[in-house]
Each structure stands twice: as structure tokens, then as C-alpha cells.
Amino acid sequence: MKQRTPLIAANWKMHKTGPEAVEAAEKLGKLCRDIHDVDVMIAPSFLSLPLVSQALKRMNSHIHTAAQNLYFEDQGAFTGEISGPMIQAAGAEYVLIGHSERRQFFGDTDKIINRKIHAAIRARLTPVLCVGETEAQRDEDKTFFVLDKQISDGVKGLDSDMPEELILAYEPVWAIGTGKSAGTEQIAQVHVFLRSLLEKHFSREFAENTRILYGGSVKPDTINALMDVEDVDGVLVGGASLEPETFIQIIGFRK
Ligand code: PGA
């Protein structure tokens, strides 16, 4: 039996205006009012984040909110950036860090990601560290090497700046938004490996308490098989999280 509460997380990426995000969040809040055995999280755009957080609070919803990114300095002359304290004040408890789209399109290196994780912890936000290999890296049999580096570099210095909680999301880059999901056997292997890395960098207890999510083309018809995998503690969902009626089918997976 898993001790870790499953976390079903939505990454809305650059979708939905403020009013659209609030409408979807309120709809979802109503749909999952009676679901208490699963944690639910939404990561809307920065502009929608305070609106969505306030709307959920108004309806006493237990849905958590997250930012999709943050800057690694807390304040200063950094035009266009958003800091951890700003995200905290906007009502979020979590922040995605190192999503593959940030790594691919916005130059987020492992070193930058490490600084962002420290910034999140300073702001009392739970980091959701996203890792995953590209198709070429998988074809070259470098998956475990790549993940090892992403985790080692990502959590550097955290033993002395220990996060209260850390969440990992394994998202093979070739599975994101492509309709191709990784096979359950491969996901199982990777998740066991990631947990062993957490044990190496932190402790056995920390590794056992840490939730490791899978992400990449998760759909209502694949959720049950994914959640049956021993070390999968939840999912990070892009496309299939945009419509509340679809996302609720993922949240309400069969255990
Ligand atoms: P997808 O996105 O579900 O659309 O593949 C997942 C993600 O990028 O987190």
C-alpha cells in the first residue's frame, strides 16, 4: 500500500485568460468537492494565479495552486521577472521548476534550475522539479545518465537548505503533448531509480515520503494503468487538464 497521498496536477501552460482560468477552476472546484483522498493542484499562468487562488479560496476548495516558473532572485532590477515571494503572496503553495519547455525554449540549465529551487524554498513554496530525457537521449541509452545529472545538479546544496517537501515529476520529453505515453514498465524503472537518487541525496525517509509524478500525454484512458505502477504517486497533466470535465476523469481514477 502506498502511504503517499496521490497528487493530480494540471499544467495549463500558456492557455486561458484570467476570466477563463477562473471559470475552469470554479467548475473543477465543484466537480471535485467530494474527492478527499487525492490532492489536486492547478498551475495557471502568472496573471491568472492570484485570481484562481482567490476564487478557490472563496469556495473553500481544497485544490492547491502552483506557478509554472519563477525567477531565482527575490527582488531587484530584473524587468519582466516574477519572484518566489510574489508567487507566495499570490496564494500559490507550489511551483513547477525545470519543465522541459523551460529547458528547451527558455534556456533553463540545471544550474539555473538549482538556483530556482533554492529561491522556491526561501519563499516557502514546494518545488515540483521536472526531469526527463529527450528521444535522442533515450535512443542513445542515456536516460539514466541524464536523469542522474538533472537530479544531482538540481538538488545541489539542499542537504543544508533542506526543503520541507519536494515533488519530482518524470516527464520524458518525447511524451509531452505528442499522444505517446511511456510504457508502464519503463516508467516503473525510472521511478524506482529516481527514488534511489532521493535516498542518495537526502535520506531513505525523505525518499519514501517524496511524491514522484509521471507526466506526458496522460489521458482519462491511461490514468488507471499509470496509477497502478507502484512508485507513481500522481501525474502532471497538460492537454487533458484544460477541460474540467476531462480532468475530473483523471482525478477520479480507480484505485
Ligand atoms: P501533456 O503535457 O499532458 O500535454 O503531454 C504534460 C506536461 O507538459 O506537463
Side-chain angles (χ1 to χ4, degrees):
M1 262 300 271
K2 284 181 201 171
Q3 297 295 307
R4 301 173 289 270
T5 306
L7 172 62
I8 308 294
N11 176 8
W12 283 351
K13 307 192 180 183
M14 201 176 71
H15 293 286
K16 300 188 190 294
T17 61
E20 287 165 355
V22 168
E23 192 189 336
E26 285 175 341
K27 213 179 259 181
L28 194 65
K30 279 189 204 131
L31 289 171
C32 63
R33 188 157 265 157
D34 297 324
I35 299 181
H36 295 287
D37 48 356
V38 173
D39 286 342
V40 181
M41 185 189 97
I42 304 174
S45 75
F46 281 132
L47 287 178
S48 302
L49 183 59
L51 304 174
V52 166
S53 300
Q54 283 155 18
L56 291 169
K57 205 168 167 193
R58 265 197 308 274
M59 62 192 294
N60 277 327
S61 172
H62 53 272
I63 298 179
H64 305 274
T65 54
Q68 299 172 14
N69 181 37
L70 86 170
Y71 190 57
F72 51 70
E73 295 289 353
D74 298 341
Q75 60 178 352
F78 303 104
T79 302
E81 291 298 325
I82 308 277
S83 72
M86 292 173 185
I87 292 167
Q88 236 278 337
E93 296 156 81
Y94 299 83
V95 55
L96 308 186
I97 298 179
H99 187 279
S100 72
E101 284 148 20
R102 301 291 323 169
R103 293 176 189 261
Q104 273 180 289
F105 308 136
F106 303 101
D108 279 15
T109 60
D110 287 326
K111 204 167 165 197
I112 290 172
I113 287 162
N114 177 251
R115 294 186 72 181
K116 291 185 173 187
I117 290 182
H118 283 279
I121 294 166
R122 282 198 302 279
R124 299 183 314 282
L125 294 165
T126 297
V128 181
L129 171 59
C130 305
V131 295
E133 81 285 3
T134 62
E135 188 148 39
Q137 289 163 338
R138 167 151 291 273
D139 290 346
E140 289 166 28
D141 254 341
K142 288 193 181 143
T143 299
F144 291 92
F145 173 81
V146 168
L147 294 171
D148 191 7
K149 182 169 180 331
Q150 289 175 340
I151 297 287
S152 311
D153 291 356
V155 305
K156 208 164 262 173
L158 285 201
D159 36 359
S160 52
D161 187 10
M162 191 76 174
E164 247 170 65
E165 191 191 0
L166 174 74
I167 292 169
L168 290 187
Y170 168 54
E171 300 202 298
V173 179
W174 48 271
I176 296 177
T178 57
K180 285 193 254 178
S181 175
T184 49
E185 205 167 300
Q186 179 204 321
I187 296 170
Q189 269 180 0
V190 167
H191 279 230
V192 167
F193 177 67
L194 291 175
R195 209 174 293 287
S196 75
L197 292 178
L198 288 171
E199 184 172 341
K200 185 172 99 181
H201 293 290
F202 299 98
S203 67
R204 192 186 181 109
E205 194 192 355
F206 189 84
E208 271 172 12
N209 290 333
T210 298
R211 290 180 285 190
I212 307 180
L213 315 181
Y214 168 77
S217 297
V218 176
K219 301 278 179 292
D221 60 349
T222 56
I223 186 66
N224 290 341
L226 289 167
M227 292 305 294
D228 276 346
V229 178
E230 175 69 23
D231 277 282
V232 171
D233 306 311
V235 286
L236 181 54
V237 189
S241 73
L242 292 172
E243 289 298 330
E245 291 80 3
T246 308
F247 191 46
I248 190 67
Q249 295 173 46
I250 295 178
I251 295 169
F253 69 92
R254 168 191 53 78
K255 273 188 257 354

